Amino acid sequence: MKNRTQLKYSALALLSLVCLASSCQKSERDLLIGRWQNSSGPNMIFNRDGSVYSVHLGKRRKGAFYLDTESDPQQMVLDMRKTEINAVLFFDFHAFSEKHLELTPTYVQRTGGPKKSLM
């Protein structure tokens, strides 16, 4: 009986470690999903399907986003070409907790134009 209890606890501990070391942790993309509020600009709604909504002054604009986790620093790319924004926006992306991330605008590329630095 004692061995059975020890086996249960060992199995539970092993399952917890495997869970922590693998899929139970959120990816950077998963951290971004949801509604984000900005004190000075638009609210952003990021969806799992890669779509994004920019909501500002009552207007809702739909675009697409993806994360480039291979770059250093990581970048988030917002494709807003099918809106009146008419540009692709590039941000340095840094997630420092599940509820906090830092997006630093770095480049903008208007449709048909060159990529311009914002720094």
Side-chain angles (χ1 to χ4, degrees):
M1 190 73 154
K2 190 175 183 180
N3 286 339
R4 188 180 230 183
T5 305
Q6 286 178 331
L7 183 61
K8 276 186 189 178
Y9 287 121
S10 296
L12 184 60
L14 181 61
L15 180 62
S16 297
L17 286 174
V18 168
C19 187
L20 285 174
S22 64
S23 64
C24 290
Q25 293 178 340
K26 288 188 173 185
S27 70
E28 286 86 358
R29 189 174 195 281
D30 289 339
L31 293 175
L32 193 57
I33 304 302
R35 181 180 207 116
W36 292 88
Q37 296 181 342
N38 183 337
S39 59
S40 62
N43 292 333
M44 303 297 289
I45 303 168
F46 294 91
N47 298 309
R48 292 195 187 285
D49 66 358
S51 63
V52 62
Y53 290 93
S54 170
V55 183
H56 189 61
L57 301 174
K59 287 189 174 184
R60 182 179 277 224
R61 298 164 186 92
K62 183 179 182 182
F65 79 96
Y66 70 90
L67 289 180
D68 179 3
T69 57
E70 301 295 317
S71 64
D72 185 28
Q74 295 181 20
Q75 283 197 321
M76 181 185 67
V77 180
L78 284 178
D79 185 346
M80 303 299 282
R81 290 179 287 186
K82 295 183 180 179
T83 70
E84 64 268 12
I85 297 171
N86 195 29
V88 177
L89 309 164
F90 298 83
F91 298 83
D92 286 351
F93 175 89
H94 175 68
F96 50 91
S97 82
E98 285 192 25
K99 294 185 179 182
H100 299 92
L101 58 92
E102 183 178 44
L103 292 174
T104 306
T106 52
Y107 298 100
V108 64
Q109 185 172 15
R110 300 266 179 222
T111 302
K115 189 174 179 182
K116 294 182 183 178
S117 176
L118 297 174
M119 302 193 107

